[in-house]
PDB file of all heavy atoms in Angstrom:
ATOM      1  N   GLY A   1       0.837  -1.196  -0.033  1.00  0.00           N
ATOM      2  CA  GLY A   1      -0.011  -0.015   0.006  1.00  0.00           C
ATOM      3  C   GLY A   1       0.859   1.246  -0.030  1.00  0.00           C
ATOM      4  O   GLY A   1       0.573   2.237  -0.676  1.00  0.00           O
ATOM      5  N   TYR A   2       1.894   1.254   0.824  1.00  0.00           N
ATOM      6  CA  TYR A   2       2.760   2.429   0.825  1.00  0.00           C
ATOM      7  C   TYR A   2       3.464   2.621  -0.533  1.00  0.00           C
ATOM      8  O   TYR A   2       3.559   3.735  -1.010  1.00  0.00           O
ATOM      9  CB  TYR A   2       3.835   2.232   1.967  1.00  0.00           C
ATOM     10  CG  TYR A   2       4.956   3.230   1.885  1.00  0.00           C
ATOM     11  CD1 TYR A   2       4.736   4.516   2.369  1.00  0.00           C
ATOM     12  CD2 TYR A   2       6.203   2.991   1.318  1.00  0.00           C
ATOM     13  CE1 TYR A   2       5.680   5.558   2.288  1.00  0.00           C
ATOM     14  CE2 TYR A   2       7.162   3.942   1.215  1.00  0.00           C
ATOM     15  CZ  TYR A   2       6.922   5.240   1.710  1.00  0.00           C
ATOM     16  OH  TYR A   2       7.931   6.174   1.623  1.00  0.00           O
ATOM     17  N   ASP A   3       3.994   1.502  -1.058  1.00  0.00           N
ATOM     18  CA  ASP A   3       4.617   1.613  -2.380  1.00  0.00           C
ATOM     19  C   ASP A   3       3.664   2.133  -3.445  1.00  0.00           C
ATOM     20  O   ASP A   3       4.083   2.976  -4.351  1.00  0.00           O
ATOM     21  CB  ASP A   3       5.211   0.254  -2.836  1.00  0.00           C
ATOM     22  CG  ASP A   3       6.467  -0.158  -1.978  1.00  0.00           C
ATOM     23  OD1 ASP A   3       7.006   0.733  -1.341  1.00  0.00           O
ATOM     24  OD2 ASP A   3       6.787  -1.380  -2.020  1.00  0.00           O
ATOM     25  N   SER A   4       2.456   1.682  -3.436  1.00  0.00           N
ATOM     26  CA  SER A   4       1.459   2.102  -4.381  1.00  0.00           C
ATOM     27  C   SER A   4       1.186   3.587  -4.269  1.00  0.00           C
ATOM     28  O   SER A   4       1.109   4.328  -5.259  1.00  0.00           O
ATOM     29  CB  SER A   4       0.220   1.253  -4.258  1.00  0.00           C
ATOM     30  OG  SER A   4      -0.866   1.815  -5.056  1.00  0.00           O
ATOM     31  N   TYR A   5       0.984   4.081  -2.988  1.00  0.00           N
ATOM     32  CA  TYR A   5       0.706   5.442  -2.691  1.00  0.00           C
ATOM     33  C   TYR A   5       1.949   6.350  -3.148  1.00  0.00           C
ATOM     34  O   TYR A   5       1.754   7.301  -3.755  1.00  0.00           O
ATOM     35  CB  TYR A   5       0.445   5.664  -1.266  1.00  0.00           C
ATOM     36  CG  TYR A   5       0.294   7.101  -0.858  1.00  0.00           C
ATOM     37  CD1 TYR A   5      -0.941   7.694  -1.015  1.00  0.00           C
ATOM     38  CD2 TYR A   5       1.250   7.823  -0.319  1.00  0.00           C
ATOM     39  CE1 TYR A   5      -1.120   9.092  -0.735  1.00  0.00           C
ATOM     40  CE2 TYR A   5       1.177   9.184  -0.023  1.00  0.00           C
ATOM     41  CZ  TYR A   5      -0.049   9.804  -0.230  1.00  0.00           C
ATOM     42  OH  TYR A   5      -0.241  11.067   0.133  1.00  0.00           O
ATOM     43  N   TYR A   6       3.097   5.839  -2.823  1.00  0.00           N
ATOM     44  CA  TYR A   6       4.334   6.588  -3.115  1.00  0.00           C
ATOM     45  C   TYR A   6       4.516   6.767  -4.605  1.00  0.00           C
ATOM     46  O   TYR A   6       4.832   7.869  -5.102  1.00  0.00           O
ATOM     47  CB  TYR A   6       5.479   5.888  -2.491  1.00  0.00           C
ATOM     48  CG  TYR A   6       6.764   6.655  -2.667  1.00  0.00           C
ATOM     49  CD1 TYR A   6       7.151   7.797  -1.878  1.00  0.00           C
ATOM     50  CD2 TYR A   6       7.719   6.271  -3.641  1.00  0.00           C
ATOM     51  CE1 TYR A   6       8.310   8.413  -2.128  1.00  0.00           C
ATOM     52  CE2 TYR A   6       8.855   6.966  -3.886  1.00  0.00           C
ATOM     53  CZ  TYR A   6       9.252   8.106  -3.109  1.00  0.00           C
ATOM     54  OH  TYR A   6      10.352   8.787  -3.315  1.00  0.00           O
ATOM     55  N   ASN A   7       4.333   5.680  -5.326  1.00  0.00           N
ATOM     56  CA  ASN A   7       4.501   5.773  -6.833  1.00  0.00           C
ATOM     57  C   ASN A   7       3.397   6.595  -7.471  1.00  0.00           C
ATOM     58  O   ASN A   7       3.616   7.102  -8.558  1.00  0.00           O
ATOM     59  CB  ASN A   7       4.596   4.375  -7.389  1.00  0.00           C
ATOM     60  CG  ASN A   7       5.857   3.664  -6.996  1.00  0.00           C
ATOM     61  OD1 ASN A   7       6.948   4.313  -6.844  1.00  0.00           O
ATOM     62  ND2 ASN A   7       5.914   2.394  -6.854  1.00  0.00           N
ATOM     63  N   LYS A   8       2.250   6.570  -6.943  1.00  0.00           N
ATOM     64  CA  LYS A   8       1.148   7.287  -7.515  1.00  0.00           C
ATOM     65  C   LYS A   8       1.159   8.782  -7.212  1.00  0.00           C
ATOM     66  O   LYS A   8       0.832   9.623  -8.166  1.00  0.00           O
ATOM     67  CB  LYS A   8      -0.200   6.703  -7.146  1.00  0.00           C
ATOM     68  CG  LYS A   8      -1.375   7.300  -7.854  1.00  0.00           C
ATOM     69  CD  LYS A   8      -2.631   6.479  -7.594  1.00  0.00           C
ATOM     70  CE  LYS A   8      -3.803   7.064  -8.390  1.00  0.00           C
ATOM     71  NZ  LYS A   8      -5.049   6.322  -8.135  1.00  0.00           N
ATOM     72  N   TYR A   9       1.469   9.198  -5.998  1.00  0.00           N
ATOM     73  CA  TYR A   9       1.328  10.589  -5.626  1.00  0.00           C
ATOM     74  C   TYR A   9       2.609  11.290  -5.314  1.00  0.00           C
ATOM     75  O   TYR A   9       2.729  12.504  -5.444  1.00  0.00           O
ATOM     76  CB  TYR A   9       0.435  10.683  -4.419  1.00  0.00           C
ATOM     77  CG  TYR A   9      -0.976  10.272  -4.706  1.00  0.00           C
ATOM     78  CD1 TYR A   9      -1.431   9.084  -4.180  1.00  0.00           C
ATOM     79  CD2 TYR A   9      -1.822  11.037  -5.453  1.00  0.00           C
ATOM     80  CE1 TYR A   9      -2.759   8.666  -4.417  1.00  0.00           C
ATOM     81  CE2 TYR A   9      -3.097  10.657  -5.747  1.00  0.00           C
ATOM     82  CZ  TYR A   9      -3.555   9.476  -5.224  1.00  0.00           C
ATOM     83  OH  TYR A   9      -4.872   9.062  -5.442  1.00  0.00           O
ATOM     84  N   ILE A  10       3.649  10.590  -4.916  1.00  0.00           N
ATOM     85  CA  ILE A  10       4.916  11.283  -4.476  1.00  0.00           C
ATOM     86  C   ILE A  10       5.944  11.193  -5.530  1.00  0.00           C
ATOM     87  O   ILE A  10       6.632  12.156  -5.931  1.00  0.00           O
ATOM     88  CB  ILE A  10       5.434  10.655  -3.162  1.00  0.00           C
ATOM     89  CG1 ILE A  10       4.385  10.632  -2.111  1.00  0.00           C
ATOM     90  CG2 ILE A  10       6.653  11.398  -2.624  1.00  0.00           C
ATOM     91  CD1 ILE A  10       3.755  12.034  -1.661  1.00  0.00           C
ATOM     92  N   ASN A  11       6.240   9.993  -6.088  1.00  0.00           N
ATOM     93  CA  ASN A  11       7.353   9.780  -6.990  1.00  0.00           C
ATOM     94  C   ASN A  11       6.882   9.989  -8.436  1.00  0.00           C
ATOM     95  O   ASN A  11       6.784   9.064  -9.239  1.00  0.00           O
ATOM     96  CB  ASN A  11       7.854   8.319  -6.802  1.00  0.00           C
ATOM     97  CG  ASN A  11       9.134   8.091  -7.574  1.00  0.00           C
ATOM     98  OD1 ASN A  11       9.860   9.032  -7.921  1.00  0.00           O
ATOM     99  ND2 ASN A  11       9.441   6.820  -7.858  1.00  0.00           N
ATOM    100  N   VAL A  12       6.546  11.270  -8.754  1.00  0.00           N
ATOM    101  CA  VAL A  12       6.008  11.541 -10.087  1.00  0.00           C
ATOM    102  C   VAL A  12       6.873  12.616 -10.688  1.00  0.00           C
ATOM    103  O   VAL A  12       7.620  13.360  -9.990  1.00  0.00           O
ATOM    104  CB  VAL A  12       4.529  11.989 -10.042  1.00  0.00           C
ATOM    105  CG1 VAL A  12       3.624  10.882  -9.667  1.00  0.00           C
ATOM    106  CG2 VAL A  12       4.375  13.156  -9.078  1.00  0.00           C
ATOM    107  N   ARG A  13       6.860  12.812 -11.970  1.00  0.00           N
ATOM    108  CA  ARG A  13       7.700  13.792 -12.675  1.00  0.00           C
ATOM    109  C   ARG A  13       7.351  15.185 -12.240  1.00  0.00           C
ATOM    110  O   ARG A  13       8.126  15.994 -11.943  1.00  0.00           O
ATOM    111  CB  ARG A  13       7.597  13.542 -14.159  1.00  0.00           C
ATOM    112  CG  ARG A  13       8.611  14.397 -14.865  1.00  0.00           C
ATOM    113  CD  ARG A  13       8.728  13.948 -16.292  1.00  0.00           C
ATOM    114  NE  ARG A  13       9.175  12.575 -16.371  1.00  0.00           N
ATOM    115  CZ  ARG A  13       9.600  11.895 -17.429  1.00  0.00           C
ATOM    116  NH1 ARG A  13       9.561  12.561 -18.537  1.00  0.00           N
ATOM    117  NH2 ARG A  13      10.024  10.738 -17.397  1.00  0.00           N
ATOM    118  N   LYS A  14       6.036  15.512 -12.389  1.00  0.00           N
ATOM    119  CA  LYS A  14       5.586  16.900 -12.005  1.00  0.00           C
ATOM    120  C   LYS A  14       4.625  16.755 -10.769  1.00  0.00           C
ATOM    121  O   LYS A  14       3.459  16.716 -10.934  1.00  0.00           O
ATOM    122  CB  LYS A  14       4.815  17.489 -13.172  1.00  0.00           C
ATOM    123  CG  LYS A  14       5.630  17.937 -14.328  1.00  0.00           C
ATOM    124  CD  LYS A  14       4.814  18.685 -15.308  1.00  0.00           C
ATOM    125  CE  LYS A  14       5.703  19.287 -16.403  1.00  0.00           C
ATOM    126  NZ  LYS A  14       4.930  20.073 -17.374  1.00  0.00           N
ATOM    127  N   GLY A  15       5.213  16.653  -9.675  1.00  0.00           N
ATOM    128  CA  GLY A  15       4.450  16.506  -8.469  1.00  0.00           C
ATOM    129  C   GLY A  15       3.885  17.750  -7.927  1.00  0.00           C
ATOM    130  O   GLY A  15       4.369  18.853  -8.250  1.00  0.00           O
ATOM    131  N   GLY A  16       2.890  17.674  -7.128  1.00  0.00           N
ATOM    132  CA  GLY A  16       2.239  18.843  -6.511  1.00  0.00           C
ATOM    133  C   GLY A  16       2.144  18.578  -5.015  1.00  0.00           C
ATOM    134  O   GLY A  16       2.764  17.680  -4.428  1.00  0.00           O
ATOM    135  N   ILE A  17       1.265  19.379  -4.440  1.00  0.00           N
ATOM    136  CA  ILE A  17       1.054  19.307  -3.002  1.00  0.00           C
ATOM    137  C   ILE A  17      -0.068  18.243  -2.656  1.00  0.00           C
ATOM    138  O   ILE A  17      -0.270  17.944  -1.478  1.00  0.00           O
ATOM    139  CB  ILE A  17       0.646  20.685  -2.470  1.00  0.00           C
ATOM    140  CG1 ILE A  17       0.745  20.726  -0.949  1.00  0.00           C
ATOM    141  CG2 ILE A  17      -0.731  21.111  -2.959  1.00  0.00           C
ATOM    142  CD1 ILE A  17       0.834  22.122  -0.398  1.00  0.00           C
ATOM    143  N   GLY A  18      -0.677  17.667  -3.678  1.00  0.00           N
ATOM    144  CA  GLY A  18      -1.773  16.721  -3.465  1.00  0.00           C
ATOM    145  C   GLY A  18      -1.407  15.524  -2.567  1.00  0.00           C
ATOM    146  O   GLY A  18      -2.262  15.216  -1.614  1.00  0.00           O
ATOM    147  N   GLY A  19      -0.282  14.821  -2.870  1.00  0.00           N
ATOM    148  CA  GLY A  19       0.001  13.680  -2.106  1.00  0.00           C
ATOM    149  C   GLY A  19       0.358  13.928  -0.700  1.00  0.00           C
ATOM    150  O   GLY A  19      -0.113  13.241   0.237  1.00  0.00           O
ATOM    151  N   ILE A  20       1.080  14.927  -0.462  1.00  0.00           N
ATOM    152  CA  ILE A  20       1.471  15.308   0.947  1.00  0.00           C
ATOM    153  C   ILE A  20       0.247  15.800   1.735  1.00  0.00           C
ATOM    154  O   ILE A  20       0.025  15.483   2.906  1.00  0.00           O
ATOM    155  CB  ILE A  20       2.559  16.363   0.963  1.00  0.00           C
ATOM    156  CG1 ILE A  20       3.784  15.861   0.246  1.00  0.00           C
ATOM    157  CG2 ILE A  20       2.845  16.802   2.344  1.00  0.00           C
ATOM    158  CD1 ILE A  20       4.436  14.665   0.918  1.00  0.00           C
ATOM    159  N   SER A  21      -0.622  16.579   1.026  1.00  0.00           N
ATOM    160  CA  SER A  21      -1.815  17.141   1.732  1.00  0.00           C
ATOM    161  C   SER A  21      -2.704  15.963   2.192  1.00  0.00           C
ATOM    162  O   SER A  21      -3.454  16.098   3.178  1.00  0.00           O
ATOM    163  CB  SER A  21      -2.515  18.195   0.929  1.00  0.00           C
ATOM    164  OG  SER A  21      -2.991  17.566  -0.259  1.00  0.00           O
ATOM    165  N   MET A  22      -2.876  14.920   1.370  1.00  0.00           N
ATOM    166  CA  MET A  22      -3.682  13.818   1.756  1.00  0.00           C
ATOM    167  C   MET A  22      -3.181  13.160   3.038  1.00  0.00           C
ATOM    168  O   MET A  22      -4.014  12.773   3.931  1.00  0.00           O
ATOM    169  CB  MET A  22      -3.791  12.759   0.632  1.00  0.00           C
ATOM    170  CG  MET A  22      -4.776  13.106  -0.415  1.00  0.00           C
ATOM    171  SD  MET A  22      -5.106  11.861  -1.598  1.00  0.00           S
ATOM    172  CE  MET A  22      -3.572  11.913  -2.626  1.00  0.00           C
ATOM    173  N   VAL A  23      -1.863  12.972   3.123  1.00  0.00           N
ATOM    174  CA  VAL A  23      -1.266  12.369   4.330  1.00  0.00           C
ATOM    175  C   VAL A  23      -1.578  13.268   5.518  1.00  0.00           C
ATOM    176  O   VAL A  23      -1.960  12.789   6.665  1.00  0.00           O
ATOM    177  CB  VAL A  23       0.207  12.103   4.151  1.00  0.00           C
ATOM    178  CG1 VAL A  23       0.888  11.679   5.487  1.00  0.00           C
ATOM    179  CG2 VAL A  23       0.450  11.074   3.088  1.00  0.00           C
ATOM    180  N   LEU A  24      -1.360  14.570   5.413  1.00  0.00           N
ATOM    181  CA  LEU A  24      -1.537  15.499   6.505  1.00  0.00           C
ATOM    182  C   LEU A  24      -2.963  15.557   6.870  1.00  0.00           C
ATOM    183  O   LEU A  24      -3.325  15.606   8.107  1.00  0.00           O
ATOM    184  CB  LEU A  24      -1.024  16.859   6.132  1.00  0.00           C
ATOM    185  CG  LEU A  24       0.464  17.002   6.024  1.00  0.00           C
ATOM    186  CD1 LEU A  24       0.847  18.414   5.560  1.00  0.00           C
ATOM    187  CD2 LEU A  24       1.145  16.718   7.313  1.00  0.00           C
ATOM    188  N   PHE A  25      -3.920  15.568   5.931  1.00  0.00           N
ATOM    189  CA  PHE A  25      -5.303  15.543   6.285  1.00  0.00           C
ATOM    190  C   PHE A  25      -5.766  14.264   7.015  1.00  0.00           C
ATOM    191  O   PHE A  25      -6.490  14.356   8.052  1.00  0.00           O
ATOM    192  CB  PHE A  25      -6.154  15.717   4.991  1.00  0.00           C
ATOM    193  CG  PHE A  25      -7.653  15.676   5.228  1.00  0.00           C
ATOM    194  CD1 PHE A  25      -8.276  16.781   5.809  1.00  0.00           C
ATOM    195  CD2 PHE A  25      -8.386  14.605   4.963  1.00  0.00           C
ATOM    196  CE1 PHE A  25      -9.624  16.803   6.015  1.00  0.00           C
ATOM    197  CE2 PHE A  25      -9.773  14.562   5.209  1.00  0.00           C
ATOM    198  CZ  PHE A  25     -10.391  15.685   5.736  1.00  0.00           C
ATOM    199  N   GLY A  26      -5.208  13.196   6.604  1.00  0.00           N
ATOM    200  CA  GLY A  26      -5.503  11.932   7.329  1.00  0.00           C
ATOM    201  C   GLY A  26      -4.965  11.938   8.685  1.00  0.00           C
ATOM    202  O   GLY A  26      -5.631  11.463   9.632  1.00  0.00           O
ATOM    203  N   TYR A  27      -3.759  12.506   8.936  1.00  0.00           N
ATOM    204  CA  TYR A  27      -3.195  12.533  10.244  1.00  0.00           C
ATOM    205  C   TYR A  27      -4.079  13.451  11.161  1.00  0.00           C
ATOM    206  O   TYR A  27      -4.361  13.118  12.294  1.00  0.00           O
ATOM    207  CB  TYR A  27      -1.862  13.106  10.143  1.00  0.00           C
ATOM    208  CG  TYR A  27      -1.264  13.475  11.501  1.00  0.00           C
ATOM    209  CD1 TYR A  27      -0.869  12.462  12.327  1.00  0.00           C
ATOM    210  CD2 TYR A  27      -1.130  14.791  11.958  1.00  0.00           C
ATOM    211  CE1 TYR A  27      -0.271  12.769  13.612  1.00  0.00           C
ATOM    212  CE2 TYR A  27      -0.602  15.101  13.111  1.00  0.00           C
ATOM    213  CZ  TYR A  27      -0.189  14.051  13.961  1.00  0.00           C
ATOM    214  OH  TYR A  27       0.309  14.345  15.249  1.00  0.00           O
ATOM    215  N   VAL A  28      -4.605  14.603  10.590  1.00  0.00           N
ATOM    216  CA  VAL A  28      -5.432  15.469  11.386  1.00  0.00           C
ATOM    217  C   VAL A  28      -6.707  14.781  11.775  1.00  0.00           C
ATOM    218  O   VAL A  28      -7.110  14.881  12.962  1.00  0.00           O
ATOM    219  CB  VAL A  28      -5.713  16.812  10.614  1.00  0.00           C
ATOM    220  CG1 VAL A  28      -6.800  17.617  11.247  1.00  0.00           C
ATOM    221  CG2 VAL A  28      -4.422  17.595  10.467  1.00  0.00           C
TER     222      VAL A  28
END
């Protein structure tokens, strides 16, 4: 699950704030 999330939202060519914001929102 972590690898899938990382490859889909974090490890991308043109990344944005979307992947990190999902993790922070889940933590909150």
